[in-house]
Each structure stands twice: as C-alpha cells, then as structure tokens.
Amino acid sequence: HNTERKMLVAYVVTTLGEEFSKKLRNQLQARLPEYMVPHFFVLIDKLPLKENGKVDRNQLPKQFLVKTATDSV
C-alpha cells in the first residue's frame, strides 16, 4: 500500500519573483481543474540540461518538499 501523496510541481524560469508565482497560480486556478494546478511553483533562473539538451530532472531544486501546498515557493 503506497501512502506517498503525489503532487504537481511547476518549475518556472523567471526573474520576476514570488509575486509572479501567486499571479500565475490565480490565473491557472481560474482556467484549469483543481487537479491540474501545481501544488508548488519553484522559480529558477534556467533549466538544468543534459548534454543531449533534455532537462536534467536530478538537478532540479527539491527544496519545495519541506513546504506545505499553501506556501509560496
């Protein structure tokens, strides 16, 4: 029995800051079903890429794991 809860995380490449993630969440909530709105928005300067140009998921920040779904990231 797997009790681990899956959560949707959005990695957003921007320099606009936390206020941007709040606005983005509000816009998505107005247009998408609740299950499609990310629980967390992680703001980053650029996506980490592998040599083949694909996103290196292992290098993405993981600090959002300690926050609650209502916290801004």
Side-chain angles (χ1 to χ4, degrees):
H1 180 75
N2 186 359
T3 59
E4 185 175 315
R5 195 170 141 206
K6 293 184 180 184
M7 290 186 248
L8 186 59
V9 176
Y11 289 93
V12 182
V13 178
T14 184
T15 57
L16 297 177
E18 189 176 316
E19 194 61 35
F20 175 77
S21 66
K22 291 178 185 177
K23 289 179 182 179
L24 181 57
R25 177 185 304 279
N26 290 337
Q27 289 180 1
L28 293 175
Q29 286 175 329
R31 291 172 176 79
L32 297 174
E34 186 64 31
Y35 73 92
M36 294 181 75
V37 176
H39 290 85
F40 303 100
F41 291 85
V42 180
L43 306 181
I44 56 178
D45 295 329
K46 65 179 185 173
L47 289 172
L49 301 177
K50 295 181 180 181
E51 289 182 27
N52 62 7
K54 293 182 179 181
V55 175
D56 188 347
R57 294 180 183 184
N58 293 326
Q59 297 300 314
L60 290 170
K62 308 231 182 339
Q63 73 269 17
F64 63 87
L65 294 175
V66 297
K67 294 186 177 276
T68 65
T70 57
D71 287 346
S72 296
V73 177

